[in-house]
């Protein structure tokens, strides 16, 4: 595999390889909501826009004429590979029409599907066209478990994520067996071996013949892996690792290797290196074994091609470039939803008010880069919508293919890497598919929590960092006191303030979610109905017949606000948690800069520990920064343990009490610590309270921690504090819990937030 240099992002790339049909004639690829069937002889691709569709790797019928998928959250279906016709499979009425359904899997040697409907397992016999539930006493699956049939259609395996176990059900005997997962945090992809005697999932291989379980060694840092079975006793693995080369550039290193069932490397087939970004996916995205050609088929993140590697020749070749059929891809097909009805006509409007000029909108799933799954990003998307409306974000055009190819003006801010007011949105958080993202998503849904959820404090800070004001907690309301909700909405919109709203929504099909969106107006109708005019980043959640709320109609959707005493409606807006006004903040002057070269800065500790760098720091020669005091900065080697011995104090006199934001200037050199901890105390006479110089002394008030290694000549926000009039002292020591790091001491500033 020859090196691939200087990758060029091609927005027309077909997506990730999902499966190859049993005859080796067609491949299925997916990019966002778009799926493409590719003829492997001609390279011709037929595309389908299926916004809510889900499909597994084992999806093809034995003859390759059709494949199984789930259209939306409750509709299994079969798609004809020949003409694109979609046939919905009927659900069991005994389980109700609103039960959630897993993507179906297909047994290659038997014409049947396995589907989870609600908490029960069902089989669909294709010849008779009927579902029937399995009559087993233990037929209760854990939430979200997706059953996968073995190649003979005799056993079903699924993953119990709650218990971190793999479970296998023998369909003939009804016997259940299970094994603990060895690495439940690894990427989930359950795959049967060709004979059905072994299966792999999340770094675990289970040999059903002898009952042995083998564990894949943990990947190197930043490593990713795509697996497939080569034979019943061998696997193929595409391993990707991002590293920095000697020039400081990110490089994606990829290896295609053969593995034994004990995950031992038998042979490295080919290797590749490609210039990369630390977050955006690059290089080959997935591999599948192509037995009819004794070759491996690979998809690429950016290139509009599929790649083939013959195991005999060990040489990378390109299949015919993918050619889009104009009918399918220029005018994507949308699968008609069952039971769609026209929305009820509303009476005439008697009063209406909207925030002027509010035309910004970002769909959290359809307007984001193709590599990112925005299903969990309602909070970040809502905050980006607000920042874009108030003119705080310049357009960042990105070509996306979700829901049809188009240009998104602001969607890249959700997972991308960017900076505002010295704050780099560079932390990493995973999306629902395990892709690592940064930007508004990782800042507002911070890493480290047990589940990915928006943090209200982070949303408020994000908006303030972008120069917006946010109404404080007085906007909290009782979720069922609808008159209070309405009063808050009218109060804010009448001042031309948009509203950030946290709610519980219920779809007409019964599904309920906790959700965040933007309210940009309100309307009252002649019959007394009241509705908020919303920018819902997920779509119209109350649209009847629209799966999971419907991906369309989220821009200016109207959600009815009941009157107090009416209770929660059967569908729509059933509870409001928060409703906070957001508006453009008045410009604030920058606070006084306290540099290391002024009398406001004092160093303490052994002289031999401190090092001075005259060419770095705020105002140093060559620093493209606003003018400040004299140049230079100090640094000290980190130490893992206290008490403090080497530290510095900046001090300033505060004339006006109130809320302030502390910033620290981080130079581009000599600041490599990942845990610079800033503290702050006040005094009446200008004498700084003593820091913890002994183990038995109490700590100072903590403000925030800065990963100095991430920044390059930037002002970085540390945290917000409430100050009284008098002297303020800011502390930083070299006690970081690390060795072989450097702590940079340069300038700080305090900006008033009033």
């Amino acid at each position: 595999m020859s090196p691939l240099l200087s990758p060029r992002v091609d927005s027309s790339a077909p997506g990730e390889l999902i499966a190859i049909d049993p005859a080796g004639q067609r491949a299925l690829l997916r990019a966002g909501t778009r799926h493409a069937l590719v003829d492997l002889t001609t390279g011709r691709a037929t595309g389908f826009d299926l916004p809510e569709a889900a499909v597994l790797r084992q999806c093809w019928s034995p003859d390759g004429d059709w494949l199984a998928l789930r259209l939306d959250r409750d509709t299994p279906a079969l798609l004809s590979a020949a003409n694109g016709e979609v046939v919905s499979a009927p659900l069991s009425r005994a389980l109700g029409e609103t039960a959630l359904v897993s993507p179906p899997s297909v047994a290659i040697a038997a014409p049947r599907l396995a589907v989870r409907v609600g908490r029960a397992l069902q089989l669909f016999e294709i010849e008779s066209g009927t579902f029937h539930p399995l009559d087993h006493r233990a037929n209760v699956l854990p939430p979200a478990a997706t059953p996968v049939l073995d190649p003979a259609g005799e056993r079903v395996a699924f993953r119990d994520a709650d218990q971190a176990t793999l479970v296998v059900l023998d369909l003939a005997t009804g016997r259940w067996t299970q094994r603990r997962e060895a690495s439940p945090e690894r990427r989930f992809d359950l795959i049967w071996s060709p004979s059905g005697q072994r299966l792999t999932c999340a770094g675990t291989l289970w040999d059903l013949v002898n009952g042995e379980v083998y564990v894949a060694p943990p990947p190197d840092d930043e490593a990713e892996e795509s697996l497939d079975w080569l034979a019943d006793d061998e696997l193929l693995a595409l391993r990707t690792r991002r590293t920095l080369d000697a020039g400081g550039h990110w490089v994606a290193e990829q290896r295609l290797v053969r593995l034994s069932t004990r995950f031992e490397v038998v042979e490295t087939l080919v290797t590749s290196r490609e210039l990369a970004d630390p977050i955006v996916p690059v290089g080959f995205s997935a591999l599948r074994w192509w037995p009819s050609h004794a070759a491996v088929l690979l998809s690429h993140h950016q290139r509009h091609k599929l790649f083939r590697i013959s195991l005999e020749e060990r040489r990378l070749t390109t299949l015919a470039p993918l050619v889009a059929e104009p009918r399918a891809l220029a005018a994507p097909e949308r699968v008609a939803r069952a039971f769609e009805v026209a929305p009820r006509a509303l009476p005439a409007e008697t009063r209406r008010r909207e925030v002027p000029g509010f035309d910004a909108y970002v769909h959290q799933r359809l307007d984001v880069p193709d590599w990112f799954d925005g299903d969990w990003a309602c909070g970040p998307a809502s905050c980006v919508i607000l920042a874009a409306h108030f003119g705080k974000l310049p357009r960042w055009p990105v070509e996306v293919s979700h829901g049809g190819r188009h240009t998104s003006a602001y969607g890249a801010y959700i997972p991308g890497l960017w900076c505002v007011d010295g704050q780099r949105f560079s932390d990493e958080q995973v999306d629902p598919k395990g892709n690592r993202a940064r930007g508004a998503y990782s800042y507002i849904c911070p890493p480290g929590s047990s589940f990915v959820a928006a943090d209200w404090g982070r949303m408020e800070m994000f908006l303030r960092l972008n120069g917006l004001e946010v109404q404080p907690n007085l906007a909290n309301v009782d979720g069922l006191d609808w008159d209070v909700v309405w009063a808050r909405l009218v109060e804010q919109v009448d001042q031309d303030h948009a509203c950030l709203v946290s709610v519980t929504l219920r779809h007409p099909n019964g599904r309920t979610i906790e959700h965040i969106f933007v309210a940009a107006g309100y309307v009252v109708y002649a019959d007394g109905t009241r509705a908020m005019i919303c920018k819902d980043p997920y779509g119209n959640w109350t649209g009847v017949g629209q799966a999971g709320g419907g991906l369309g109609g989220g821009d200016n959707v109207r959600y009815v606000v009941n009157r107090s005493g009416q209770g929660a409606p059967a569908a729509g807006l059933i509870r409001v948690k928060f409703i906070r006004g957001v508006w453009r903040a008045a410009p604030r002057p920058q606070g006084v800069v306290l540099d290391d070269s002024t009398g406001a800065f004092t160093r303490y500790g052994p002289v031999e520990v401190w090092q001075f760098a005259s060419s770095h720091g705020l105002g140093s020669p060559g620093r493209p920064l606003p003018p400040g005091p004299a140049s230079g900065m100090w640094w000290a080697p980190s130490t893992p343990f206290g008490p403090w011995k080497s530290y510095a104090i900046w001090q300033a006199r505060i004339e006006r009490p109130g809320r302030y934001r502390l910033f620290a200037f981080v130079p581009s050199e000599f600041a490599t610590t990942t845990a610079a901890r800033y503290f702050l105390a006040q005094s009446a006479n200008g004498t700084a309270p003593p820091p913890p110089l002994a183990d038995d002394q109490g700590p100072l008030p903590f403000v925030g921690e800065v990963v100095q290694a991430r920044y390059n000549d930037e002002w970085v926000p540390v945290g917000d504090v409430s100050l009284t009039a008098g002297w303020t002292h800011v502390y930083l020591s070299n006690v970081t819990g690390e060795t072989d790091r450097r702590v940079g001491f340069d300038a700080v500033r305090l900006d008033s937030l009033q």
Side-chain angles (χ1 to χ4, degrees), residues 367-434:
D367 291 329
V368 292
D370 288 352
W371 61 269
F372 176 69
D373 184 342
D375 198 45
W376 296 341
C378 59
S382 297
C383 290
V384 167
I385 290 173
L386 288 163
H389 162 68
F390 287 108
K392 299 300 183 179
L393 297 178
R395 288 172 55 87
W396 186 358
V398 59
E399 290 293 320
V400 299
S401 61
H402 304 300
R405 287 189 60 191
H406 64 285
T407 301
S408 172
Y410 302 103
Y413 284 102
I414 296 176
L417 176 62
W418 55 288
C419 173
V420 62
D421 199 12
Q423 171 68 53
R424 285 167 58 91
F425 300 113
S426 56
D427 288 341
E428 294 182 4
Q429 177 60 286
V430 296
D431 68 9
K433 293 181 179 176

Side-chain angles (χ1 to χ4, degrees), residues 636-642 644 672-677 705-706 708 732-745:
S638 64
T639 181
F641 307 111
W644 289 13
T672 61
T673 178
T674 62
R677 295 172 59 82
E705 184 174 283
V706 173
Q708 290 187 346
L732 176 64
S733 81
N734 68 337
V735 178
T736 66
E738 307 162 305
T739 58
D740 301 324
R741 296 276 184 167
R742 295 174 176 179
V743 182
F745 299 78

Side-chain angles (χ1 to χ4, degrees), residues 506-546:
R506 181 181 291 135
H507 188 260
N509 69 11
R511 184 177 178 229
T512 300
I513 63 166
E514 306 297 311
H515 192 40
I516 298 167
F517 56 76
V518 175
Y522 63 85
V523 61
V524 180
Y525 299 95
D527 66 352
T529 300
R530 310 178 301 190
M532 57 174 68
I533 303 172
C534 305
K535 305 278 185 173
D536 189 329
Y538 197 89
N540 181 2
W541 191 255
T542 62
V544 176
Q546 300 186 46

Side-chain angles (χ1 to χ4, degrees), residues 604 649 651-653 682-689 726-729 731:
Y604 299 85
I649 300 177
Q651 66 177 21
R653 185 170 181 83
Q682 290 197 272
S683 68
N685 58 7
T687 301
W727 287 95
T728 294
H729 313 274
Y731 302 73

Side-chain angles (χ1 to χ4, degrees), residues 111-423:
R112 57 171 41 169
L113 312 180
V115 180
R116 175 185 60 87
V117 182
R119 297 291 297 276
L121 176 65
Q122 292 202 8
L123 292 182
F124 179 64
E125 301 295 345
I126 298 170
E127 293 182 355
S128 61
T130 58
F131 268 110
H132 63 83
L134 293 175
D135 189 20
H136 296 304
R137 293 173 58 190
N139 184 27
V140 178
L141 280 76
T146 298
V148 181
L149 278 164
D150 74 354
E154 297 173 350
R155 287 178 290 198
V156 169
F158 61 85
R159 184 192 197 204
D160 186 343
D162 292 340
Q163 302 298 321
T165 59
L166 297 176
V167 182
V168 172
L169 166 64
D170 188 302
L171 297 177
T173 64
R175 181 184 176 188
W176 296 70
T177 53
Q178 64 182 23
R179 289 290 185 273
R180 293 285 298 177
E181 278 185 342
S183 304
E185 74 282 356
R186 300 277 287 274
R187 175 178 173 178
F188 163 58
D189 214 352
L190 196 155
I191 324 166
W192 285 98
S193 69
S195 70
Q197 300 301 313
R198 298 181 175 93
L199 60 89
T200 62
C201 179
T204 303
L205 187 146
W206 183 0
D207 190 321
L208 299 174
V209 176
N210 57 29
E212 293 291 331
V213 172
Y214 303 104
V215 182
D220 298 334
D221 291 343
E222 308 293 328
E224 301 168 8
E225 190 171 65
S226 176
L227 279 176
D228 203 2
W229 285 94
L230 173 62
D232 208 52
D233 57 354
E234 275 193 313
L235 298 109
L236 287 165
L238 175 66
R239 292 180 169 175
T240 305
R241 183 171 177 264
R242 288 178 174 83
T243 60
L244 288 171
D245 64 12
H249 303 106
W250 283 101
V251 175
E253 297 179 345
Q254 295 191 294
R255 293 190 305 147
L256 180 63
V257 298
R258 293 169 59 188
L259 303 175
S260 71
T261 54
R262 296 175 182 268
F263 293 105
E264 299 162 336
V265 176
V266 176
E267 181 183 14
T268 298
L269 300 175
V270 283
T271 60
S272 170
R273 284 171 56 88
E274 186 165 333
L275 293 180
D277 180 273
I279 287 295
V280 178
V282 222
F284 298 98
S285 60
L287 69 84
R288 296 294 179 266
W289 173 234
W290 195 7
S292 61
H293 289 66
V296 182
L297 199 61
L298 302 110
S299 55
H300 194 277
H301 280 294
Q302 282 86 29
R303 301 188 174 206
H304 192 63
K305 300 173 183 177
L306 287 173
F307 295 85
R308 173 181 180 269
I309 296 175
S310 167
L311 290 192
E312 181 179 349
E313 299 176 359
R314 311 293 173 86
R315 184 167 52 89
L316 180 73
T317 57
T318 305
L319 270 69
L322 304 185
V323 179
E325 291 188 354
R327 174 191 62 82
L329 294 182
E333 299 179 16
R334 282 192 175 273
V335 178
R337 308 293 181 188
F339 314 115
E340 285 193 2
V341 299
R344 178 176 63 89
L346 289 169
E349 298 176 0
T350 59
R351 184 184 178 195
R352 178 176 174 176
R353 178 69 185 265
E354 295 184 71
V355 176
F358 204 135
D359 55 2
Y361 178 72
V362 178
H363 196 292
Q364 69 189 77
R365 300 180 66 189
L366 304 185
D367 291 329
V368 292
D370 288 352
W371 61 269
F372 176 69
D373 184 342
D375 198 45
W376 296 341
C378 59
S382 297
C383 290
V384 167
I385 290 173
L386 288 163
H389 162 68
F390 287 108
K392 299 300 183 179
L393 297 178
R395 288 172 55 87
W396 186 358
V398 59
E399 290 293 320
V400 299
S401 61
H402 304 300
R405 287 189 60 191
H406 64 285
T407 301
S408 172
Y410 302 103
Y413 284 102
I414 296 176
L417 176 62
W418 55 288
C419 173
V420 62
D421 199 12
Q423 171 68 53

Side-chain angles (χ1 to χ4, degrees), residues 368-691:
V368 292
D370 288 352
W371 61 269
F372 176 69
D373 184 342
D375 198 45
W376 296 341
C378 59
S382 297
C383 290
V384 167
I385 290 173
L386 288 163
H389 162 68
F390 287 108
K392 299 300 183 179
L393 297 178
R395 288 172 55 87
W396 186 358
V398 59
E399 290 293 320
V400 299
S401 61
H402 304 300
R405 287 189 60 191
H406 64 285
T407 301
S408 172
Y410 302 103
Y413 284 102
I414 296 176
L417 176 62
W418 55 288
C419 173
V420 62
D421 199 12
Q423 171 68 53
R424 285 167 58 91
F425 300 113
S426 56
D427 288 341
E428 294 182 4
Q429 177 60 286
V430 296
D431 68 9
K433 293 181 179 176
N435 301 312
R436 293 170 296 161
R438 293 179 173 174
Y441 179 71
S442 66
Y443 185 81
I444 291 171
C445 305
S449 55
S450 58
F451 61 95
V452 178
D455 180 282
W456 267 94
R458 288 297 192 102
M459 282 193 285
E460 181 176 341
M461 178 64 80
F462 177 89
L463 294 170
R464 292 187 184 279
L465 284 171
N466 282 280
L468 302 179
E469 290 288 359
V470 184
Q471 189 181 36
N473 288 340
L474 61 90
N476 292 0
V477 297
D478 181 343
L480 297 181
D481 191 343
W482 298 108
D483 292 338
V484 172
V485 172
W486 185 257
R488 295 293 187 211
L489 174 68
V490 171
E491 169 192 80
Q492 295 302 308
V493 174
D494 284 351
Q495 300 176 67
D496 294 337
H497 299 171
C499 293
L500 189 61
V501 189
S502 175
V503 302
T504 305
L505 286 171
R506 181 181 291 135
H507 188 260
N509 69 11
R511 184 177 178 229
T512 300
I513 63 166
E514 306 297 311
H515 192 40
I516 298 167
F517 56 76
V518 175
Y522 63 85
V523 61
V524 180
Y525 299 95
D527 66 352
T529 300
R530 310 178 301 190
M532 57 174 68
I533 303 172
C534 305
K535 305 278 185 173
D536 189 329
Y538 197 89
N540 181 2
W541 191 255
T542 62
V544 176
Q546 300 186 46
L551 290 176
D555 192 4
N556 296 323
V557 61
R558 301 186 181 192
Y559 292 142
V560 172
V561 179
N562 275 18
R563 295 188 179 276
S564 294
Q566 290 181 314
L573 188 65
I574 61 174
R575 187 174 186 271
V576 175
K577 294 181 177 180
F578 296 100
I579 178 168
R580 296 188 182 182
V582 179
W583 62 95
R584 188 193 306 268
R588 298 191 188 97
Q590 180 175 294
V592 175
V593 175
L594 309 174
D595 192 67
D596 63 289
S597 62
T598 68
F601 175 82
T602 307
R603 292 178 292 112
Y604 299 85
V607 174
E608 62 271 14
V609 172
W610 291 96
Q611 304 292 327
F612 183 69
S614 61
S615 59
H616 289 83
L618 180 69
S620 298
R623 306 297 102 182
L625 302 164
S631 65
M633 55 89 64
W634 291 89
W635 63 269
S638 64
T639 181
F641 307 111
W644 289 13
K645 293 181 180 178
S646 300
Y647 63 95
I649 300 177
W650 296 263
Q651 66 177 21
R653 185 170 181 83
I654 300 297
E655 302 293 343
R656 188 176 64 175
R659 293 284 290 172
Y660 287 79
R661 180 167 298 149
L662 174 65
F663 288 84
F665 185 81
V666 180
S668 60
E669 298 287 343
F670 309 110
T672 61
T673 178
T674 62
R677 295 172 59 82
Y678 293 81
F679 300 82
L680 184 148
Q682 290 197 272
S683 68
N685 58 7
T687 301

